[in-house]
């Protein structure tokens, strides 16, 4: 389960972990998502191309000005956002302002005060090419092919309501087994804005997870029998 950037990371992890994952929940997730009818699978999966060195290697040397330039970029971004943290939180949690309390703002600004914060932001520019959600959620392409729940807050103040609605539409067309739950009273963090609605959607989603897990177990036993024979 993941929200925003955490959703993109969770989706990637589900593809990597394979049979260990029985279900996935993505709340207003980040990640490249292309229209299924227009998505053209690459000659080689992004994962495989990266492993073969056809994409820039993770943490490869930065051209021209190198790491100092990335550190300066990170420091400038932290300096620009630091005084705006409370206001940004008010916008993100517009559907439930009580979530944007002083404790949350303090936790975020405390992390931003770390001497390594700028380096973390700068180093993010050195990561390998992202795998699109079309790839990581495609079981036939080595991704996760099990049940996926997408609780989508429609009043998303980060990407915008129109973008949130558009991504919900695309998720619904992605493949069988992907269920979208549109939450009109939820924002970018629907698990915080509309926890009761998200919990209800998860409870409704669990039978699909159990069914997939049981089928996975059956497939595993069949494979073991074949090997034993």
């Amino acid at each position: 389960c993941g929200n925003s950037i955490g959703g993109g990371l969770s989706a990637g992890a589900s593809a990597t972990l394979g049979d260990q994952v029985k279900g996935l929940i993505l709340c207003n997730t980040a990640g490249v998502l292309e229209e299924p009818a227009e998505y053209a699978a690459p000659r080689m999966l992004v994962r495989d191309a990266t492993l073969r060195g056809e994409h820039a290697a993770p943490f490869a040397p930065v051209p021209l000005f190198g790491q100092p330039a990335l550190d300066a970029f990170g420091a400038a971004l932290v300096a620009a956002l630091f005084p705006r943290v409370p206001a940004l939180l008010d916008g993100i949690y517009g559907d439930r302002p009580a979530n944007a309390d002083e404790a949350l703002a303090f936790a975020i600004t405390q992390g931003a005060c770390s001497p390594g914060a700028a380096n973390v932001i700068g180093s993010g520019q050195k990561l390998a090419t992202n795998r699109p959600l079309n790839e990581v959620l495609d079981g036939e392409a080595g991704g996760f092919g099990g049940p996926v729940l997408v609780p989508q807050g429609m009043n998303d103040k980060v990407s915008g309501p129109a973008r949130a609605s558009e991504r919900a539409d695309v998720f619904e067309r992605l493949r069988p087994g992907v269920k979208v739950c549109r939450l009109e009273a939820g924002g970018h963090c629907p698990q915080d804005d509309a926890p009761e609605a998200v919990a209800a959607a998860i409870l409704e989603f669990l039978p699909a997870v159990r069914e997939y897990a049981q089928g996975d177990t059956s497939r595993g036993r069949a494979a073991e029998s074949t090997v034993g024979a």
Side-chain angles (χ1 to χ4, degrees), residues 18-38:
D19 292 342
Q20 297 180 61
V21 180
K22 309 304 180 186
L24 179 64
I25 303 172
L26 303 175
C27 299
N28 287 63
T29 185
V32 176
L33 178 63
E34 298 184 28
E35 181 64 52
E38 300 173 1

Side-chain angles (χ1 to χ4, degrees), residues 186-205:
H188 187 66
C189 303
Q191 73 279 4
D192 293 328
D193 292 330
E196 298 85 359
V198 172
I202 292 174
L203 287 174
E204 187 176 335
F205 173 65

Side-chain angles (χ1 to χ4, degrees), residues 50 55-63 67 70 119-129:
T50 301
H55 292 304
F59 303 107
V62 182
Q67 187 63 42
L70 289 184
N119 180 266
V120 170
I121 294 176
S123 294
Q125 308 305 309
K126 298 165 62 177
L127 297 177
T129 302

Side-chain angles (χ1 to χ4, degrees), residues 80-188:
L81 294 177
F82 192 91
R84 299 180 56 209
V85 168
L88 290 171
L89 289 176
D90 286 340
I92 292 172
Y93 290 108
D95 288 277
R96 187 169 286 199
N99 287 332
D101 57 16
E102 293 183 5
L104 179 58
F106 175 77
I108 293 173
T109 53
Q110 184 182 43
C113 288
S114 169
N119 180 266
V120 170
I121 294 176
S123 294
Q125 308 305 309
K126 298 165 62 177
L127 297 177
T129 302
N130 287 332
R131 300 170 65 188
L133 293 172
N134 304 70
E135 177 180 312
V136 298
L137 298 180
D138 184 354
E140 297 182 1
F144 177 65
V148 179
L149 174 65
V150 183
Q152 187 81 346
M154 305 309 292
N155 192 28
D156 192 327
K157 300 295 180 59
V158 176
S159 64
R163 181 64 173 161
S165 179
E166 177 186 332
R167 284 177 70 85
D169 292 341
V170 177
F171 267 117
E172 288 180 333
R173 294 189 289 267
L174 187 60
R175 66 164 172 80
V178 176
K179 178 182 180 182
V180 176
C181 178
R182 298 170 186 258
L183 304 172
E184 300 298 334
H188 187 66

Side-chain angles (χ1 to χ4, degrees), residues 37-80:
E38 300 173 1
Y39 173 69
R43 173 180 57 84
M44 181 181 296
L45 298 178
V46 173
R47 176 198 63 192
D48 297 337
T50 301
L51 292 175
R52 288 177 57 129
E54 296 192 14
H55 292 304
F59 303 107
V62 182
L64 298 179
F65 300 106
Q67 187 63 42
L70 289 184
D71 289 343
F73 167 76
L77 190 58
V78 170

